[in-house]
Amino acid sequence: MAKDKQHQLEIVTEPKFIDGSALKIPMLQILKEDGTVQKGAQVPELDKELALKMFDTMQFIRILDERMIAAQRQGRISFYLSSLGEEAASIGSAAALDDGDMIMGQYREQGALAYRGFTVEQFMDQLFSNERDLGKGRQMPVHYGSAELNFMTIASPLATQIPQATGYAFGQKMDKSGTCTICYFGEGAASEGDFHAALNMAAVYKVPAIFFCRNNGYAISTPSQGEQYAGDGIAPRGVAYGMKTIRVDGNDILAVYQATQMARKLAVEDNEPVLIEGMSYRMAGHSTSDDPTGYRTRDEEDAWRAKDPLARFQTYLIKKKWLTEKDAEEIFAEKKAAVLAALKKAEKVPAPHIDELINDVYDTPPQQLKEQLEQLKAHIRKYPEAYPKTASRIDGGEK
Ligand SMILES: Cc1ncc(C[n+]2csc(CCOP(=O)(O)OP(=O)(O)O)c2C)c(N)n1
């Protein structure tokens, strides 16, 4: 066979196009939809304690999401983004990491943050933007962050976390830290230029990063099939950039866990960036500002309800005799009580002092920012009834 020496390419004489639309990367599945193990699958080693921690976190996130959508509807918080139906993707992957690994999320990975140890009170303080919020109430609800837990603060502009993850992982490599960065994003965010620049750089510089795409079928109202991409989803893009790539059933927590565990090993031991595409479905609306009945059918949602990741894992755990139906009900009731109690507490905590608005960015806030803050205070003094949480603390309120 003739070879081109410079590029080490096989030479062919027939003009043959590679049909990108015919490519189909398979999907790893360990747990079938009915909670039984797929024939021939290797179940990852998982002790009871770890399995129950994963299940516990899934239950917590399910009830947190349900309650906070309701709280938004009641006018108690301004906005919410639910991860309903996608709990296995964030929790299964976070469970495969070390606490020292960096997490850079999009905004639907509350499961990973909860798994790391963010408390129900910390969730509520952020959602109510009260003075105990780590971000001092300066971000929209759900834009969590925790330096202590190595969870980078969420940014609203899509895909910015992807090149940041490449850069952060490069730093981890230079420091020989033995840690990696996991970066979550949706298939919609993968249409941003940032995604492509980040993956190419990660592959070229061989950084310990795990790029986890949650392919949940929609980017707000844009369906992934046909409107977001014409090819075989996101996974082939990892192949194109020359990195190890795998597609998994994102609703199967065991498949997600196994793939992420292997990806972490590749990243940390061999400085091999990895792309994981988790196939799932966004069961709720995009956010509380969205109504999905305008762009998708009830039948489609029902078909995905049958693939529910929480019910699937629960059936597996019950079959394994690590859990009973009663245990599951008790965990759910306990989580619900904790969420409701924290919610009631957090909404009574005062708002941050308005001076916090301009703190922490500059060592000393510049004059123009100070002037703008004074103008804002004057405006609030004039219309105190429009700012009930802030007005009472402007003059003389404790900082
Ligand atoms: C740069 C930028 N463009 C547009 C938006 C508006 N926007 C917010 S979320 C979103 C959809 C993202 O979909 P996807 O990445 O698939 O994640 P999902 O919400 O499905 O989890 C869009 C278009 C934005 N925040 N930033």
Side-chain angles (χ1 to χ4, degrees), residues 106-108 156-158 186-189 192 214 216 218-220 286:
Q106 184 151 308
Y107 44 63
R108 224 181 279 287
S156 281
L158 282 177
E187 82 290 343
E192 290 283 347
R214 296 177 293 91
N216 63 11
Y218 288 89
I220 311 187
H286 167 72

Side-chain angles (χ1 to χ4, degrees), residues 241-311:
Y241 285 117
M243 65 173 72
K244 299 263 190 308
T245 298
I246 190 166
R247 172 176 280 153
V248 302
D249 180 343
N251 284 17
D252 169 3
I253 198 160
L254 295 187
V256 172
Y257 178 76
Q258 186 177 65
T260 315
Q261 209 177 30
M262 292 171 77
R264 185 180 191 277
K265 209 166 176 304
L266 283 165
V268 171
E269 292 178 12
D270 304 333
N271 285 314
E272 286 269 12
V274 180
L275 173 64
I276 302 176
E277 182 180 17
M279 309 308 287
S280 186
Y281 190 79
R282 197 199 70 214
M283 288 303 305
H286 167 72
S287 70
T288 45
S289 312
D290 176 43
D291 173 12
T293 58
Y295 55 83
R296 67 188 193 189
T297 64
R298 188 37 100 66
D299 284 353
E300 180 184 295
E301 290 176 3
D302 288 344
W304 275 93
R305 206 161 278 123
K307 300 173 199 262
D308 181 53
L310 180 53

Side-chain angles (χ1 to χ4, degrees), residues 170-185:
F170 197 9
Q172 289 171 315
K173 177 180 169 178
M174 289 198 293
D175 287 347
K176 298 193 177 21
S177 66
T179 57
C180 68
T181 296
I182 191 164
C183 178
Y184 297 97
F185 50 90

Side-chain angles (χ1 to χ4, degrees), residues 134-198:
L134 298 178
K136 301 181 182 171
R138 293 175 294 204
Q139 279 265 33
M140 278 173 80
V142 185
H143 291 58
Y144 310 108
S146 169
E148 195 192 338
L149 298 176
N150 291 318
F151 190 97
M152 186 63 77
T153 302
I154 304 298
S156 281
L158 282 177
T160 49
Q161 77 277 18
I162 316 177
Q164 288 165 7
T166 298
Y168 198 89
F170 197 9
Q172 289 171 315
K173 177 180 169 178
M174 289 198 293
D175 287 347
K176 298 193 177 21
S177 66
T179 57
C180 68
T181 296
I182 191 164
C183 178
Y184 297 97
F185 50 90
E187 82 290 343
S191 290
E192 290 283 347
D194 271 3
F195 164 86
H196 297 277

Side-chain angles (χ1 to χ4, degrees), residues 89-102:
S90 60
I91 296 166
S93 50
L97 302 176
D98 274 16
D99 284 349
D101 296 336
M102 174 55 81

